[in-house]
Amino acid sequence: MARMLRLPEVVGKLIIGLKLGNVFAFTGWDFFDFLRTMPFVKMVSYFGTLILLFTAGLNTDLRALLRVGTSSLLVCLGGIIVPAGLGLMVGHFLLPDTSSGTKLLLAIILCNSSTGLLLAVLSELKAINTLEGRVIAGAVILTEIVVILTFGVVSEFAARGGVSLMGMSVSFGIAITLVIISLITILRYGEKFGNFLTRRMTEGVNIPIVVILSLLLAFMFGSVGLHTVIGAFIAGLFLRNVKLRNSDNGEHRTVESFIRPFYMLLVPILFVRVGAQVEMKSFLNMEAVSLGLAITGAAVIGKIFCSVCPIEKGINRLAIGIGMATKMEGTLILAGIGRDIGMLNDAVFSSVIIVIVLTSRICPSLLRLSLRKQGVHRKGLHIAAEKKELEEVTLN
């Protein structure tokens, strides 16, 4: 149904979870309450989160990311600093009674952009290799790394009941050091390690190595104060060159092809469970609705600031700002984690869902319109240039 309405499929899963989780509120039937309360469902959705970030790492080319240039870095920084500042202002004025940890988490969540949805739209429009497409792709991946890293540090301190500047600085330094060491290791040895496992090991040996290494990295990053999803993302970056060789016929397949069935099973459960956490009654609360609209405005206006960040001439700045304002799966995951650790109450969580629904529906459509208009304009300039050249040749 979501695809028929030209909505992302994730929105459909979110809405299904929202409806099932609120059946009791409208009918008094509590059959689907297990989506909110059952520990097994929470555990399954947790593994869905790990698989989702692991898959994102498998699809991220770290070397290409380092070649995207200064504009992607500037767009990333602009898309973090301004939304974070506006988010803190919204939290200060509209959430005066909440803790500083909740306000910080809300500001960090507003900095995120939708990597999967944006790359899908750019691929659909055949704009992934355009100047705008490269800048957006690089910026959104950098943003995801920075946001996940910052969220992991802040969420741990906030869940403990306070935010110590000194303690958070030390943890952030340790986390940054660990991430830098991991990225250097991936750049130097990731491809060699992948080729070694591909040539020397069969599928029956490689699969346990992939699973154990992924869980080990998730545990290691969780043990230093970060969220385990960062370890899953780093594991995906490290294992993206591994191929699984069948011992019977010698054919190779990617790690993603092995992960895909688990992805198709567990990730929808994750999104349905997150949707089920939303209290429909909170949408009837004008405070929650006004907070959701204010947060949406802060998120969109903050990301539109990205339009002034690229340094290239002739680039479609509006398309970059609109694209970076899109929010979907990453924001949903962070909001769900914040809800699970008790840092986001019903009103704030429902407000974040409003942001996701609005931006995931409106921003991709505006991005399509902006890029298509630019494509028509550039095509017209190209035809005019060819016509002028032909006239000059004819005169000569």
Side-chain angles (χ1 to χ4, degrees):
M1 290 176 65
R3 193 184 299 115
M4 290 172 60
L5 296 173
R6 303 194 68 180
L7 291 170
E9 290 184 23
V10 176
V11 174
K13 298 167 186 173
L14 182 66
I15 293 174
I16 283 293
L18 191 147
K19 290 181 177 179
L20 294 179
N22 288 273
V23 167
F24 178 79
F26 297 101
T27 65
W29 189 34
D30 60 355
F31 179 79
F32 292 105
D33 277 2
F34 73 91
L35 292 174
R36 296 179 178 176
T37 60
M38 185 180 289
F40 176 74
V41 177
K42 181 179 180 179
M43 181 187 69
V44 170
S45 67
Y46 168 74
F47 279 102
T49 306
L50 294 181
I51 288 177
L52 183 63
L53 270 295
F54 179 72
T55 304
L58 289 175
N59 289 289
T60 301
D61 187 345
L62 188 57
R63 295 184 185 277
L65 180 62
L66 297 176
R67 293 194 297 265
V68 294
T70 307
S71 287
S72 291
L73 178 61
L74 293 175
V75 170
C76 168
L77 294 177
I80 289 176
I81 296 172
V82 180
L86 293 176
L88 288 174
M89 289 178 59
V90 171
H92 176 73
F93 289 106
L94 298 184
L95 298 170
D97 298 329
T98 58
S99 65
S100 58
T102 298
K103 295 173 185 176
L104 273 175
L105 287 185
L106 178 61
I108 293 169
I109 289 172
L110 294 186
C111 296
N112 201 22
S113 298
S114 173
T115 305
L117 185 56
L118 268 178
L119 295 182
V121 173
L122 291 173
S123 299
E124 177 187 340
L125 296 175
K126 296 180 174 58
I128 194 70
N129 291 317
T130 64
L131 180 59
E132 294 80 10
R134 290 196 298 269
V135 170
I136 291 175
V140 74
I141 293 172
L142 281 172
T143 300
E144 185 170 21
I145 293 174
V146 174
V147 168
I148 291 175
L149 181 64
T150 309
F151 182 88
V153 174
V154 174
S155 63
E156 286 296 321
F157 275 90
R160 294 171 191 167
V163 181
S164 166
L165 183 60
M166 178 62 70
M168 194 167 67
S169 299
V170 172
S171 290
F172 197 79
I174 295 173
I176 286 289
T177 303
L178 183 58
V179 170
I180 291 175
I181 293 173
S182 300
L183 296 181
I184 293 175
T185 304
I186 291 169
L187 289 173
R188 295 198 61 178
Y189 303 110
E191 188 171 353
K192 294 179 182 178
F193 181 74
N195 292 335
F196 172 79
L197 289 184
T198 301
R199 291 195 306 265
R200 301 294 181 87
M201 304 294 179
T202 62
E203 188 176 84
V205 177
N206 277 343
I207 289 177
I209 291 176
V210 168
V211 174
I212 293 172
L213 185 60
S214 301
L215 294 177
L216 183 62
L217 283 172
F219 172 78
M220 182 175 68
F221 276 82
S223 64
V224 298
L226 293 173
H227 200 278
T228 51
V229 296
I230 302 176
F233 182 77
I234 295 294
L237 290 174
F238 189 63
L239 297 170
R240 71 185 308 268
N241 294 303
V242 176
K243 299 292 188 296
L244 305 176
R245 179 168 59 88
N246 192 312
S247 58
D248 295 330
N249 52 29
E251 294 182 354
H252 291 83
R253 60 173 179 152
T254 62
V255 175
E256 187 176 4
S257 66
F258 164 70
I259 294 293
R260 189 66 180 169
F262 302 98
Y263 183 99
M264 297 296 292
L265 176 66
L266 299 181
V267 174
I269 295 176
L270 163 67
F271 289 131
V272 169
R273 180 180 176 272
V274 170
Q277 304 301 310
V278 179
E279 294 280 354
M280 287 289 290
K281 293 180 180 179
S282 62
F283 288 107
L284 303 177
N285 185 349
M286 288 305 299
E287 179 184 355
V289 174
S290 60
L291 177 62
L293 294 178
I295 292 175
T296 302
V300 173
I301 294 172
K303 288 295 187 179
I304 292 296
F305 178 79
C306 296
S307 301
V308 304
C309 295
I311 60 176
E312 286 84 3
K313 295 181 179 179
I315 194 170
N316 189 338
R317 298 178 182 274
L318 181 60
I320 291 175
I322 293 172
M324 294 299 292
T326 308
K327 301 187 184 302
M328 178 45 64
E329 63 284 338
T331 309
L332 191 60
I333 290 172
L334 296 182
I337 294 173
R339 173 65 181 267
D340 286 339
I341 63 177
M343 296 307 302
L344 299 183
N345 58 32
D346 292 341
V348 177
F349 182 73
S350 300
S351 301
V352 175
I353 298 300
I354 292 175
V355 177
I356 293 171
V357 173
L358 291 178
T359 57
S360 65
R361 182 63 188 99
I362 297 173
C363 291
S365 301
L366 293 178
L367 180 61
R368 289 187 182 100
L369 183 62
S370 177
L371 290 176
R372 281 174 179 169
K373 281 187 176 181
Q374 181 187 23
V376 171
H377 177 64
R378 287 181 175 173
K379 185 177 180 181
L381 291 177
H382 180 68
I383 293 174
E386 288 184 344
K387 185 177 180 181
K388 184 178 180 180
E389 183 180 355
L390 181 61
E391 289 175 351
E392 291 176 354
V393 171
T394 303
L395 288 175
N396 292 332

